[in-house]
Amino acid sequence: MRTRDAVEHAIRAWNQHEINRGAPAVIDFDFFPPAGEPPAPVDRLGTFRRLNDLLHEIDESAVVQRINADLAYLRALIGERPNLDEYVRATQGCPAAGWSVDYATAKGDIARGCLDALGVGWGETTAVDLAAMEGPLDASDAPDAIRQAAADYEPVVRRVTGTEAAYELTIEEADVDAYWAYWLEGAGQRVRLRLNTRDASYTKTQARQFALHEVLGHGLQSASIAARCAIEDVPWVRLSSVHGPQQVLLEGWAQAMPLFIAPDDEALVARVRIDHYTQLVRAELHLAVNAGTPIEECARHARARVPWWKDGHIADILADRSTSPLLRTYMWAYVAGIDWFVNLADANTTISRNVLHAAYQAPLTPADLEKLWPEGPAVGGAEDRIRRQNSAAS
């Protein structure tokens, strides 16, 4: 595994370079943190050359896929702009194929039904009305509420995933002009949750959602994978990065968790159904803006699909998915992941147990997920499966 270790050293050195320049970190979770000081920083071009050299020294498929994801992301950071599908395939490991209009509309109808059951209408005030129904939560009370919800759900999560790993949780506040309201990172068994208090508003339902998504999803899942790395010389790179092919698993499971863990919590399930639909709409915008659709047309489509979205939010969606090398790939993981895991939950199949146990043992790729559930949907959009079937038939 010396080449894998060299790849990890190169990524850690690159990570230090990005941190030093005030750019987003490359590593979000270190499954096998080394002792001592981090390596000396290495710039983007130097890292590109080093990883490209290492690519020719190894034939382990998981490490090769990770190196190719890093190389594709580095190319984008340095100035290349490949077409969206090519870029997402190289980084996230799935196509940016998309879903049909009818499919997204049907998922929107399910979300509307969930809102109707809660007495919340569909319109410009949906987000405000839903938050009022859920019960506002003062930002100062959010950390304790998240900890309590995590403690309540933890036995169920451990039972369905089979993990016995320990984790140490720290919750901190941040004030960042970014798309995220909460972010988790860490190393080994240490997990840090950051709550972005800029323009933040929390509800009691969201506290339960955050506890599942961040603490028992990303946090416990990453700590469980790290626990395996501590006792086994695994055949993959022991670093998690949001531009890498494990992100579909991580974001998909974290978003869909309530359907598996708390299916009787109507408010929490409604959040998942709304998220599924709105992620599909974001995917429509992601594809459109990268295909050259004028922004005014994209904005009209967004408001017609999700009437409570404000102009500033729509502008951020379009900019993130077209101008940021990181978010242009990473944001696709959210929709590809939630769609696959929501379908898994709705299928009510015994395969779920195998998927969830595997998901807390290794950073599964989209190809791994499809192998575990061959009858399931294509990760990244059904349109790609249609094209593959047509190609096979011709």
Side-chain angles (χ1 to χ4, degrees):
M1 297 293 182
R2 285 185 296 178
T3 303
R4 180 210 56 196
D5 295 348
V7 170
E8 292 175 350
H9 185 275
I11 295 172
R12 289 191 175 99
W14 170 29
N15 182 64
Q16 200 59 41
H17 168 75
E18 298 295 347
I19 292 172
N20 288 354
R21 67 185 293 166
V26 173
I27 300 170
D28 291 292
F29 206 98
D30 193 328
F31 299 129
F32 196 72
E37 295 297 315
V42 176
D43 63 62
R44 294 169 178 176
L45 194 54
T47 300
F48 181 88
R49 292 187 177 119
R50 177 59 175 151
L51 290 175
N52 201 44
D53 289 342
L54 290 170
L55 184 62
H56 302 291
E57 297 180 14
I58 192 166
D59 57 6
E60 178 59 57
S61 60
V63 179
V64 169
Q65 183 176 18
R66 173 57 201 254
I67 293 175
N68 283 327
D70 291 323
L71 292 175
Y73 179 46
L74 279 162
R75 286 182 182 275
L77 284 176
I78 295 170
E80 291 188 13
R81 195 176 193 276
N83 73 65
L84 182 65
D85 185 64
E86 175 188 345
Y87 187 42
V88 171
R89 285 176 188 270
T91 49
Q92 300 301 328
C94 70
W99 295 261
S100 71
V101 171
D102 289 344
Y103 180 82
T105 300
K107 300 308 176 184
D109 290 341
I110 293 174
R112 286 177 187 244
C114 291
L115 287 171
D116 287 343
L118 297 174
V120 177
W122 186 276
E124 294 184 359
T125 63
T126 294
V128 174
D129 295 342
L130 180 61
M133 185 283 303
E134 293 176 340
L137 182 68
D138 190 273
S140 63
D141 296 327
D144 287 343
I146 292 170
R147 285 183 182 276
Q148 183 58 55
D152 293 342
Y153 288 130
E154 187 170 332
V156 182
V157 174
R158 289 188 180 277
R159 185 169 66 250
V160 302
T161 63
T163 184
E164 297 179 353
Y167 70 97
E168 304 168 12
L169 175 65
T170 301
I171 301 180
E172 301 176 358
E173 292 185 358
D175 183 7
V176 182
D177 182 12
Y179 74 93
W180 54 270
Y182 44 92
W183 189 270
L184 188 131
E185 57 197 4
Q189 268 46 65
R190 300 186 306 278
V191 173
R192 182 175 73 153
L193 173 60
R194 300 170 69 202
L195 301 178
N196 191 359
T197 57
R198 182 170 296 196
D199 301 323
S201 61
Y202 300 96
T203 70
K204 295 174 182 177
T205 300
Q206 286 176 315
R208 301 196 298 277
Q209 184 181 28
F210 296 169
L212 286 172
H213 186 127
E214 296 292 346
V215 180
L216 301 175
H218 294 333
L220 180 57
Q221 186 175 18
S222 296
S224 298
I225 295 171
R228 179 185 175 189
C229 292
I231 61 173
E232 181 181 338
D233 196 16
V234 296
W236 26 264
V237 172
R238 297 165 296 182
L239 301 169
S240 175
S241 302
V242 298
H243 66 268
Q246 79 293 323
Q247 210 58 36
V248 168
L249 161 71
L250 299 181
E251 298 301 350
W253 163 241
Q255 291 175 96
M257 281 184 79
L259 302 184
F260 297 86
I261 306 303
D264 297 327
D265 187 328
E266 289 187 350
L268 204 50
V269 167
R271 281 281 177 180
V272 177
R273 298 300 183 180
I274 295 167
D275 287 346
H276 186 198
Y277 170 66
T278 55
Q279 290 293 4
L280 290 169
V281 175
R282 290 184 179 95
E284 293 173 341
L285 298 174
H286 202 151
L287 292 169
V289 72
N290 278 276
T293 304
I295 59 168
E296 56 268 37
E297 185 175 332
C298 291
R300 283 194 296 270
H301 179 79
R303 290 302 296 272
R305 284 293 216 178
V306 189
W308 59 89
W309 279 353
K310 305 301 183 185
D311 283 350
H313 182 62
I314 295 170
D316 287 344
I317 289 174
L318 296 173
D320 289 348
R321 286 159 177 77
S322 60
T323 65
S324 167
L326 179 60
L327 300 183
R328 188 170 179 246
T329 170
Y330 175 35
M331 291 295 99
W332 193 261
Y334 280 89
V335 62
I338 192 173
D339 183 71
W340 195 87
F341 274 96
V342 166
N343 276 284
L344 179 65
D346 289 344
N348 195 27
T349 172
T350 56
I351 292 174
S352 294
R353 180 184 183 278
N354 295 338
V355 171
L356 300 184
H357 277 237
Y360 276 64
Q361 287 295 306
L364 306 176
T365 67
D368 294 330
L369 294 175
E370 290 183 340
K371 288 177 184 176
L372 285 166
W373 188 28
E375 299 79 15
V379 178
E383 299 300 328
D384 188 67
R385 175 159 290 179
I386 291 172
R387 286 199 293 270
R388 280 186 282 150
Q389 290 171 342
N390 291 341
S391 176
S394 60

